[in-house]
Amino acid sequence: MKKQVKKNLIVALSLAFVASFGVAGLVKTDVNAGAVEEVAVAGNFQMDDGAAIRIKSDTPSGIRWSVTVSESYYNYVTSLGTVQWGMVVDNKAITAKGASATQVDIPLEKQPLPSFNANDGKEETWTYYASITYDQLVSDMEEKGYSEQQIATALTKAYETVLYARAYNVVNDVPTLAVDADTGRSIKGVAMHCLLEETSDVTTGNKDLFETYAGGSYAVETTETLGNENAYSLTEKTGTVTSVDELSAGDYAVYVGAKKITDIQLETDGKISATVAGLGATKYAAGKTYNVRFINADNEVYQVPFLAATHTIATAQEYIDYMNGWSGAASAETNGTSDDYVVLTADINLNATTFQKNQSDWFSGTFNGLGHTLSNAKVDLIQVGPSSWNGSGLFGYIETNGIVENVALTDITCINQYVWLISGYVKGTVRNVYVQGSHSVASGNGVLRAYNASSIENVVVNVTSDKATYAYSDQTAGKNAIVNSYAFGKAASFSNISGETRTVYANGYTFVNENKTELATWGGYWSLKGDTFYFGDTVIAMGGSVNDTLYTAATTLDLTTLTGGAEIVSFSVNGAATAVPANGLYDLTSFTYGEVNELNIVAANGTAITQPIMTASHVISTPTEFMNYMTGWSGGSSATTNGTKDDYVVLTADIDLDGQNVALKTSADYFAGTFNGLGHTVTDMKYTPKSVNGSWT
């Protein structure tokens, strides 16, 4: 969908006047200490990430940064002599105090000294702030006679300028810089972030002011969630995002949160991509979704989400390296630890690679396939002693906190006994997973084995074997541990599952704890249309179609006309399983006129059909049918010839009567039925009063 650039409601201002805006003319504000807090010490003397903007309705804005000092560090430096605390602000990263002529130095001469009380034995921290405002810039320009437009231009440039801050202290003339942080922020970036996230004062009366700082009128457009490329590796500190929709050609500023990443020029209309780098795990948590924002010259904002992960996998070798890189018990440092959040960013063919996991290899992280497919792999036993072998599954054993989700596993083969396609024990969660595979030996076990408090949900299994192979085995799992999960294919079966509600369909799959309402919300990856399963856009089981509503006055329906003559193997009416009529003719007389019913039909060729149907006493689609019906009734409210209350008439097409004179009705002719036009139109109709005993009525 191409986005059309909207014209800003505010006249575009030339920035040439302040082409090289620095930080000169900025006012250093009063500073004040924050309250002493008893918190865990993250560092002795360090900057805090981010920045805040000053919100005042009667003056230009400013930016404020904060720094944290621990009690022990403060006591140490004050023991060395007199301490001067301060902060340096610059339009580039600060590596040394006084290194740049454009720096604004904010000595905190009036900074009140903290009062620490460590009697409770807890380490305390002291937070102080320093900020700059743009009052002097405006005042100087007003004194020099600059116009309001020129001042607005200067402020626009100032609001867009990224500034950095770094705290320092000086003891006995020796300066020390605080530990650096991600402080590079502009007023525009912070204001835009607050507007989009509806944080801070946006919801309490200052939205207009935020919009001024952000650059005037703007619109927010959000793309689809989690495209293939949209994953960010916290380990490598890099990732690429690509918009799902096309954007108009132009210049875009790229932000993550309130931080500006880069500028991009999109030369032609199309998708836009950006490489995000440098974000650390301190603010970006694995498994959480964040937005990269592309902002054009008219301040229109387009958001592309990305998922933060510890590992991103796009190739077979990357998958092999990761899976071979962990082993051991849940408590071992070498296992798939709970800190791991792994995502697939592409479909991967594993080229018949064999994977071997020990029964003591537990996966306790998260593996998120993002809707992608892993294919063509083998699972085998592993030798654990001179004559001892054991096996588990492709993901070993899945620990209580372990999650495998949103992935299709196809052409997975167990090549030995005592191994499982997914996992030999699942204490954690398996959800939104499609498994298609086989056991090449007669004594193969199955796909997965639920254990204790595990959660198996939204799983479809298609497994083949020369013997009865368990699609799901429930090893002491509680009731409802396996929900909304299907199994189909040769020899697919369930084992040791107690207290579950099962529906076995004639087309060869079993549904545990059926809940069709939930099927439409399978994590955005699964969908059910008719009786056809989809994983994303790929048909997994059956094939289906939903026909337009059928309107009929007949008393029976030949179901084979819906399947093209194919044999019917499964039939349901309004969700209730119903015997297939021997001759294919289904009796419609039990339906109430005017109500929509739903027929679900599965044919032997695998086609699934959903047929909405409404019965009526009369179905009209032509001028002749309309005229015949209108001519066919008359009489009073009790007359048998009137449009009786038993009549339910539907109009299934627009009708042009081409000037025909409709059968005349008198004041004695009552219509007591229902005429449902279904939104259609009757046009060009003539009507002439009728003479009754010499009178016109």
Side-chain angles (χ1 to χ4, degrees):
M1 179 175 62
K2 188 174 295 183
K3 310 298 182 184
Q4 298 298 322
V5 176
K6 296 179 180 178
K7 297 300 182 183
N8 200 332
L9 298 179
I10 300 177
V11 177
L13 301 176
S14 169
L15 301 183
F17 177 72
V18 285
S20 58
F21 175 80
V23 291
L26 301 180
V27 173
K28 297 166 285 187
T29 68
D30 294 335
V31 289
N32 49 74
V36 174
E37 299 178 1
E38 296 179 0
V39 296
V41 178
N44 288 325
F45 181 37
Q46 67 177 33
M47 296 298 302
D48 294 334
D49 284 345
I53 61 175
R54 184 183 182 195
I55 303 297
K56 292 185 68 176
S57 59
D58 56 346
T59 63
S61 179
I63 309 180
R64 188 186 77 173
W65 293 270
S66 61
V67 60
T68 300
V69 182
S70 72
E71 176 188 6
S72 57
Y73 180 77
Y74 177 83
N75 291 336
Y76 168 72
V77 294
T78 54
S79 71
L80 300 178
T82 302
V83 184
Q84 169 66 59
W85 302 95
M87 194 174 298
V88 182
V89 178
D90 202 348
N91 58 4
K92 56 180 174 291
I94 300 166
T95 57
K97 180 181 179 298
S100 170
T102 62
Q103 288 178 340
V104 173
D105 192 357
I106 309 176
L108 307 187
E109 297 175 348
K110 298 180 181 180
Q111 180 67 53
L113 298 178
S115 175
F116 292 113
N117 183 356
N119 292 334
D120 57 5
K122 293 182 179 179
E123 177 86 2
E124 294 180 341
T125 61
W126 167 49
T127 299
Y128 70 82
Y129 310 92
S131 58
I132 58 174
T133 64
Y134 295 91
D135 305 69
Q136 192 63 48
L137 176 65
V138 174
S139 178
D140 290 347
M141 295 184 72
E142 287 176 341
E143 289 181 4
K144 294 178 181 179
Y146 287 109
S147 67
E148 290 185 2
Q149 180 172 343
Q150 289 173 321
I151 294 174
T153 301
L155 283 177
T156 298
K157 182 64 175 178
Y159 292 160
E160 293 178 347
T161 300
V162 176
L163 297 178
Y164 299 82
R166 192 89 177 263
Y168 68 88
N169 64 48
V170 179
V171 183
N172 299 328
D173 298 325
V174 178
T176 299
L177 283 173
V179 175
D180 204 2
D182 181 14
T183 63
R185 297 291 187 273
S186 68
I187 287 180
K188 176 175 181 176
V190 176
M192 188 70 75
H193 176 70
C194 290
L195 283 166
L196 293 169
E197 300 295 335
E198 295 187 350
T199 59
S200 189
D201 288 347
V202 174
T203 58
T204 58
N206 282 307
K207 184 174 182 180
D208 292 342
L209 196 60
F210 272 94
E211 289 185 0
T212 298
Y213 298 153
S217 177
Y218 72 99
V220 178
E221 298 288 347
T222 304
T223 68
E224 296 178 17
T225 302
L226 295 179
N228 292 345
E229 300 86 0
N230 299 348
Y232 177 85
S233 171
L234 293 171
T235 303
E236 302 296 330
K237 293 188 176 181
T238 187
T240 299
V241 296
T242 301
S243 64
V244 176
D245 296 327
E246 291 188 350
L247 303 185
S248 298
D251 295 329
Y252 292 85
V254 184
Y255 286 82
V256 175
K259 179 179 181 179
K260 186 176 182 180
I261 302 298
T262 188
D263 290 303
I264 290 179
Q265 184 179 47
L266 189 63
E267 295 183 357
T268 59
D269 293 353
K271 296 182 179 181
I272 192 169
S273 295
T275 298
V276 180
L279 306 180
T282 56
K283 288 191 67 177
Y284 300 92
K288 300 294 185 181
T289 300
Y290 304 92
N291 288 309
V292 177
R293 292 173 175 136
F294 298 88
I295 306 174
N296 65 16
D298 286 335
N299 291 317
E300 293 176 320
V301 182
Y302 301 91
Q303 298 186 156
V304 180
F306 69 88
L307 184 66
T310 59
H311 302 76
T312 57
I313 295 177
T315 68
Q317 192 58 53
E318 288 174 344
Y319 179 83
I320 293 168
D321 289 344
Y322 175 75
M323 296 304 290
N324 289 341
W326 64 267
S327 62
S331 60
E333 293 183 0
T334 55
N335 82 323
T337 69
S338 58
D339 294 331
D340 284 1
Y341 195 99
V342 187
V343 298
L344 289 186
T345 60
D347 295 338
I348 296 176
N349 185 329
L350 293 170
N351 302 311
T353 300
T354 298
F355 294 88
Q356 298 169 297
K357 286 295 180 186
N358 196 310
Q359 290 179 358
S360 61
D361 293 338
W362 291 89
F363 180 75
S364 55
T366 296
F367 187 95
N368 187 342
L370 292 180
H372 292 293
T373 299
L374 287 172
S375 62
N376 193 10
K378 297 179 180 179
V379 184
D380 198 2
L381 296 170
I382 185 172
Q383 187 169 3
V384 294
S387 58
S388 178
W389 302 74
N390 67 36
S392 52
L394 189 62
F395 289 92
Y397 284 2
I398 299 175
E399 183 53 280
T400 303
N401 295 325
I403 299 173
V404 176
E405 63 181 353
N406 308 328
V407 64
L409 306 172
T410 64
D411 194 19
I412 311 298
T413 304
C414 290
I415 60 176
N416 220 317
Q417 59 182 345
Y418 308 125
V419 290
W420 301 73
L421 287 171
I422 295 181
S423 176
Y425 276 110
V426 179
K427 290 184 177 181
T429 299
V430 177
R431 63 181 169 224
N432 300 330
V433 174
Y434 170 59
V435 186
Q436 179 274 314
S438 63
H439 281 270
S440 63
V441 292
S443 57
N445 280 354
V447 177
L448 59 82
R449 179 166 46 181
Y451 186 83
N452 289 340
S454 61
S455 175
I456 313 299
E457 55 182 319
N458 310 340
V459 176
V460 173
V461 170
N462 183 356
V463 59
T464 59
S465 175
D466 292 333
K467 60 165 291 220
T469 299
Y470 298 137
Y472 308 93
S473 178
D474 192 335
Q475 182 76 14
T476 70
K479 182 178 180 179
N480 299 327
I482 302 176
V483 297
N484 278 350
S485 295
Y486 283 84
F488 63 99
K490 181 181 178 182
S493 64
F494 292 69
S495 170
N496 301 329
I497 302 178
S498 60
E500 309 288 348
T501 301
R502 305 190 205 178
T503 304
V504 181
Y505 289 89
N507 56 5
Y509 60 87
T510 303
F511 195 177
V512 178
N513 290 347
E514 183 171 26
N515 187 333
K516 289 191 174 182
T517 302
E518 294 182 6
L519 287 174
T521 59
W522 277 16
Y525 297 99
W526 293 102
S527 61
L528 179 66
K529 303 172 185 177
D531 278 324
T532 302
F533 282 103
Y534 292 83
F535 188 82
D537 293 327
T538 302
V539 175
I540 297 302
M542 311 304 295
S545 62
V546 179
N547 294 342
D548 293 335
T549 301
L550 173 65
Y551 301 94
T552 181
T555 57
T556 60
L557 175 66
D558 186 350
L559 300 180
T560 60
T561 61
L562 302 176
T563 64
E567 177 188 2
I568 299 170
V569 296
S570 177
F571 178 50
S572 64
V573 179
N574 296 324
T578 304
V580 178
N583 57 1
L585 293 178
Y586 181 68
D587 186 354
L588 302 176
T589 57
S590 62
F591 291 165
T592 300
Y593 288 162
E595 292 183 358
V596 177
N597 297 274
E598 185 175 276
L599 309 180
N600 294 111
I601 303 168
V602 179
N605 59 11
T607 300
I609 299 166
T610 297
Q611 178 62 70
I613 184 171
M614 178 191 288
T615 58
S617 62
H618 301 77
V619 177
I620 296 175
S621 61
T622 68
T624 299
E625 290 173 343
F626 180 84
M627 294 295 291
N628 288 342
Y629 177 73
M630 296 303 293
T631 303
W633 68 269
S634 62
S637 59
S638 62
T640 58
T641 55
N642 81 329
T644 69
K645 59 183 176 58
D646 295 326
D647 278 6
Y648 193 100
V649 186
V650 294
L651 193 64
T652 60
D654 293 337
I655 293 178
D656 184 353
L657 292 176
D658 196 23
Q660 294 186 71
N661 200 341
V662 176
L664 301 179
K665 302 299 178 187
T666 73
S667 57
D669 295 327
Y670 285 81
F671 181 76
T674 299
F675 190 101
N676 186 346
L678 298 175
H680 294 292
T681 303
V682 178
T683 57
D684 199 7
M685 175 177 62
K686 290 183 179 180
Y687 188 88
T688 304
K690 184 177 181 181
S691 175
V692 179
N693 297 324
S695 299
W696 296 94
T697 182

